[in-house]
Amino acid sequence: MTPTFADVLSAAAAIRPHLSPTALLRHPLLERAVGVEVWVKHENHQPTGAFKVRGGVNLLSRFDGAERDRGVIAASTGNHGQSIAWAAQRFGIRAVICVPDGANPVKTEAIRALGAELVEQGRDFDEAREHCEQLAARHGYRYVHSGDEPLLIAGVATEALEIVEARPDVDAIVVPIGGGSGAAGTCVVARALGGAVEVIGVQSEAAPAAFRSWQGKALVEDRMETSAEGLATRTAFQLPQSILWEYLDDFLLVGEDDLERATLLMLETTRNLVEPAGAAAVAALLRHPERFAGKRVAVVCSGGNLAPAQLHALLHRRAEDGRP
């Protein structure tokens, strides 16, 4: 079932008692660097450090008694898992989160701290997801897919609703895409406005499955070689893609170097610690300046869960390259 704008409004009401709206801010130094007016939607300020918690709260708040008793299970590179763990703790539901081996320790420790059981299995997200689905079938958990859940999409769409309510004059909203729930939700909101705002997705060219699926209007698999775990999917998801096929205005690719540059630029110009996936929208402004010339742009800073080792590696590579 494709979520509607009415579902987004319902999600906003469900989320409001639990999550405050996040900041939408201009940063002059960032604007100087990218050359356009930019409004940053700071989803890195969420209690889990990422936008996905909106979807988790919207979904789990609606569980009936039987679903609560079953418990939930989800697969994640970290942010979806934190979302489900945070909401499960909020509503007194058992949660099991499957992550790939070597997942971001900032995210995995946060999942544990929220009281969820952590299962590490697989070399990447998709292998963790396959193991998660096996556990769900074996134990009867309520499996929460990271993309093919209408209530998750309606929940994360509330970030776009907050953007257009605060700045109805934006020309475009740029959204990072991994599984695509955030971009799909943004499309639902933009559609309700009659096309007054463009929705532009961005993904790493080192993990382009969602991009290629959108291009061909068919689900495909592709390589997964990005270091940005929030963008690290080998396969596309049916429900988000079905929305993107119809309503996404454009889809851009960025390089791994672009993501690193944008991550450090956000730290330097906005004083925000941002993970590479969360900086992807800014990376698109840097890589494709002609696409945004003369526009008023909102960028979704989807997450800020950068591990200290990741930050150290970024700074070390910059020093080695001789960049200031």
Side-chain angles (χ1 to χ4, degrees), residues 50 52 74-83 97-109 111 118-119 121-129 146 178-179 224 226-234 237 275 277 305 310:
K52 285 183 178 286
S76 175
T77 56
N79 286 338
H80 173 56
Q82 286 189 86
S83 162
I97 308 299
C98 298
V99 301
D101 294 324
N104 183 328
V106 168
K107 299 177 182 180
T108 56
E109 288 308 306
I111 289 168
L118 192 74
V119 176
Q121 180 73 36
R123 62 188 171 89
D124 59 20
F125 165 76
D126 290 288
E127 288 192 358
R129 174 181 54 79
S146 59
M224 199 297 293
T226 180
S227 61
E229 63 261 17
L231 309 179
T233 52
R234 280 192 283 118
F237 302 148
E275 61 189 283
N305 292 306
Q310 292 173 308

Side-chain angles (χ1 to χ4, degrees), residues 151-215:
L151 289 173
L152 286 188
I153 292 176
V156 299
T158 59
E159 70 184 12
L161 181 64
E162 291 174 11
I163 290 172
V164 298
E165 285 178 340
R167 298 298 317 185
D169 55 349
V170 296
D171 299 307
I173 302 176
V174 188
V175 192
I177 294 182
S181 63
T186 303
C187 285
V188 171
V189 173
R191 178 183 62 182
L193 299 176
V197 58
E198 283 189 297
V199 182
I200 301 171
V202 55
Q203 186 172 50
S204 171
E205 60 192 14
F211 171 78
R212 289 191 54 229
S213 297
W214 176 78
Q215 272 192 321

Side-chain angles (χ1 to χ4, degrees), residues 138-160:
R138 186 182 310 155
H139 298 289
Y141 301 127
R142 167 59 160 91
Y143 172 49
V144 182
H145 193 281
S146 59
D148 291 337
E149 290 274 2
L151 289 173
L152 286 188
I153 292 176
V156 299
T158 59
E159 70 184 12

Side-chain angles (χ1 to χ4, degrees), residues 29-284:
L29 291 176
L30 177 63
E31 291 186 341
R32 181 189 300 175
V34 299
V36 294
E37 180 179 329
V38 181
W39 292 84
V40 180
K41 184 60 171 168
H42 281 288
E43 291 297 290
N44 58 308
H45 294 174
Q46 291 284 9
T48 61
F51 78 106
K52 285 183 178 286
V53 69
R54 296 173 180 267
V57 169
N58 188 45
L59 175 62
L60 270 65
S61 69
R62 301 171 192 270
F63 275 12
D64 60 24
E67 285 181 305
R68 288 172 182 260
D69 290 343
R70 288 169 62 189
V72 295
I73 191 168
S76 175
T77 56
N79 286 338
H80 173 56
Q82 286 189 86
S83 162
I84 299 305
W86 194 91
Q89 184 183 65
R90 193 82 167 185
F91 300 114
I93 301 169
R94 182 190 178 194
V96 179
I97 308 299
C98 298
V99 301
D101 294 324
N104 183 328
V106 168
K107 299 177 182 180
T108 56
E109 288 308 306
I111 289 168
R112 285 195 180 98
L114 289 166
E117 178 185 341
L118 192 74
V119 176
E120 297 183 79
Q121 180 73 36
R123 62 188 171 89
D124 59 20
F125 165 76
D126 290 288
E127 288 192 358
R129 174 181 54 79
E130 290 162 3
H131 183 66
C132 176
E133 291 167 357
Q134 293 169 4
L135 291 178
R138 186 182 310 155
H139 298 289
Y141 301 127
R142 167 59 160 91
Y143 172 49
V144 182
H145 193 281
S146 59
D148 291 337
E149 290 274 2
L151 289 173
L152 286 188
I153 292 176
V156 299
T158 59
E159 70 184 12
L161 181 64
E162 291 174 11
I163 290 172
V164 298
E165 285 178 340
R167 298 298 317 185
D169 55 349
V170 296
D171 299 307
I173 302 176
V174 188
V175 192
I177 294 182
S181 63
T186 303
C187 285
V188 171
V189 173
R191 178 183 62 182
L193 299 176
V197 58
E198 283 189 297
V199 182
I200 301 171
V202 55
Q203 186 172 50
S204 171
E205 60 192 14
F211 171 78
R212 289 191 54 229
S213 297
W214 176 78
Q215 272 192 321
K217 293 193 174 182
L219 301 184
V220 301
E221 292 190 15
D222 208 313
R223 70 189 187 281
M224 199 297 293
E225 299 169 357
T226 180
S227 61
E229 63 261 17
L231 309 179
T233 52
R234 280 192 283 118
T235 60
F237 302 148
Q238 180 63 52
L239 181 56
Q241 279 289 329
S242 68
I243 298 170
L244 300 181
W245 292 337
E246 190 166 0
Y247 299 111
L248 187 69
D249 293 290
D250 203 357
F251 201 146
L252 305 175
L253 291 178
V254 297
E256 294 292 286
D257 287 347
D258 300 316
L259 292 171
E260 291 192 3
R261 180 184 172 200
T263 300
L264 293 174
L265 183 66
M266 286 291 287
L267 178 61
E268 292 164 349
T269 63
T270 76
R271 309 300 187 259
N272 278 259
L273 190 67
V274 177
E275 61 189 283
V282 171

